Amino acid sequence: MKIRKHLLPRTLQDGVATVFMAGIIPITYWFEVYVVIPGIHGVDSLYNWVHFVPATLLLFNVTAHLLATMLCDTSCSTEMIQLPANVSQAAAGLGSKSWHLCATCEFVAPPRSWHCTSCRTCILKRDHHCLFTGCCIGHKNHRYFLVFVAYLFVSTLYASVLNNYFIWFVRGDEFRNWTSFVKIVFPLAMLMIDTSTKQYYLVIYLINMVGVMFTGVLLVYHGRLILSGAVVHEQKAPEYDLGRIENVRMVLGNRWYIAWLSPFVRSDLPHNGVNWETLQKQTIKSK
């Protein structure tokens, strides 16, 4: 993996979203492990360790895949790009699905590459720019992003189940009232008025409930694109559709079946992200 030169978010929106993500992950872990789980089972219960192990594994994978997404350089500068002999620079400029001239970077970019104004460079097989990582998701970090979203969905779902039981049943006498409903609907406003521990509990509860819905939608949306061999800007790309298994391998790498276990598992990508003409020919043959 080649490390990005500019790791810090370049825009205010990216900075705020990235700082929020970097803060809420450890806060949620602390809340679940040291408040919710002991509150459900008791401080000295052995069941706390039953939850501690999967919670820590989820924390590791969420954090590690987030960092891998942010650190991995997926720009066009990571590959030695040579214009094919049958494509002249005069013919360039036909759009993102063909070789085209990037006026900002001042070089001919390969198909499926897009220039990102936030990252200030062209991205190989650019999928989209992610606010919560402060970088673009492209050919080389698509794997880390997808697995990050998957683990984040599992984590927020796990936390939401625990939180619902803890707040509405274990501590139901304190929270089952109309004021809790108002605090959930207007969490930030109520946090300025009420700075009690209960209000912070409700804020974390709400964030996880929103998180499980948001990441669930993201997982379905990006999963369908990947299974069809497309990226966000293409929506449908039949010319790159090799079948579901091969499409997954194009994102997760040759060892796609274990690549989700950890970002440290080596899983080389079967394509360099540049010469998509060869893949088009392979797609035609497979059909």
Side-chain angles (χ1 to χ4, degrees):
M1 177 198 297
K2 183 178 179 181
I3 307 298
R4 291 171 58 214
K5 294 180 180 179
H6 304 285
L7 298 178
L8 295 178
R10 292 177 177 268
T11 66
L12 178 61
Q13 296 92 327
D14 285 1
V16 172
T18 304
V19 169
F20 169 78
M21 185 61 66
I24 197 59
I25 291 174
I27 288 174
T28 298
Y29 174 79
W30 169 85
F31 180 63
E32 305 303 326
V33 171
Y34 295 102
V35 177
V36 175
I37 295 174
I40 295 175
H41 298 292
V43 177
D44 299 322
S45 175
L46 291 177
Y47 284 106
N48 295 339
W49 290 100
V50 176
H51 288 284
F52 177 79
V53 174
T56 303
L57 288 175
L58 287 172
L59 173 67
F60 164 76
N61 269 297
V62 168
T63 306
H65 282 95
L66 172 63
L67 290 174
T69 303
M70 298 173 65
L71 292 174
C72 181
D73 189 353
T74 187
S75 66
C76 291
S77 62
T78 59
E79 293 288 335
M80 293 294 294
I81 298 177
Q82 295 183 345
L83 197 66
N86 61 338
V87 179
S88 65
Q89 292 202 20
L94 300 179
S96 64
K97 289 191 176 182
S98 63
W99 291 84
H100 54 283
L101 177 66
C102 176
T104 305
C105 295
E106 297 183 343
F107 72 89
V108 179
R112 310 185 83 185
S113 296
W114 296 71
H115 183 86
C116 177
T117 55
S118 297
C119 295
R120 302 175 189 176
T121 187
C122 285
I123 305 298
L124 286 175
K125 201 188 78 171
R126 183 175 184 266
D127 189 71
H128 70 285
H129 184 87
C130 178
L131 289 175
F132 294 100
T133 61
C135 66
C136 270
I137 308 304
H139 183 64
K140 297 190 176 182
N141 65 353
H142 204 169
R143 161 198 170 183
Y144 306 123
F145 170 78
L146 179 67
V147 181
F148 162 67
V149 173
Y151 273 111
L152 197 58
F153 170 73
V154 174
S155 300
T156 51
L157 179 61
Y158 186 19
S160 295
V161 172
L162 291 173
N163 292 345
N164 273 289
Y165 185 74
F166 174 72
I167 288 178
W168 304 124
F169 293 94
V170 177
R171 303 277 293 268
D173 294 339
E174 302 174 54
F175 289 100
R176 281 201 301 245
N177 50 62
W178 69 270
T179 55
S180 294
F181 175 75
V182 174
K183 290 178 180 180
I184 290 175
V185 175
F186 306 102
L188 296 180
M190 294 305 298
L191 196 59
M192 296 179 183
I193 301 173
D194 181 8
T195 57
S196 65
T197 303
K198 289 171 58 177
Q199 181 60 25
Y200 284 104
Y201 286 3
L202 288 175
V203 170
I204 298 174
Y205 164 80
L206 180 61
I207 290 174
N208 279 278
M209 289 296 291
V210 173
V212 70
M213 291 184 287
F214 180 66
T215 54
V217 171
L218 279 182
L219 197 58
V220 172
Y221 176 71
H222 287 286
R224 291 179 65 181
L225 286 174
I226 290 170
L227 290 176
S228 65
V231 293
V232 170
H233 291 285
E234 296 167 343
Q235 294 299 321
K236 292 183 180 180
E239 64 270 37
Y240 305 118
D241 187 358
L242 296 171
R244 292 191 171 186
I245 297 298
E246 286 301 311
N247 291 339
V248 170
R249 192 167 69 91
M250 291 295 291
V251 174
L252 298 184
N254 292 322
R255 302 174 72 192
W256 57 271
Y257 44 89
I258 59 171
W260 56 273
L261 290 173
S262 167
F264 297 104
V265 173
R266 181 170 179 175
S267 184
D268 296 331
L269 295 172
H271 197 272
N272 63 2
V274 177
N275 304 110
W276 294 104
E277 297 87 352
T278 56
L279 187 65
Q280 288 178 322
K281 295 177 181 178
Q282 184 180 344
T283 305
I284 294 172
K285 289 181 180 179
S286 64
K287 293 181 179 180

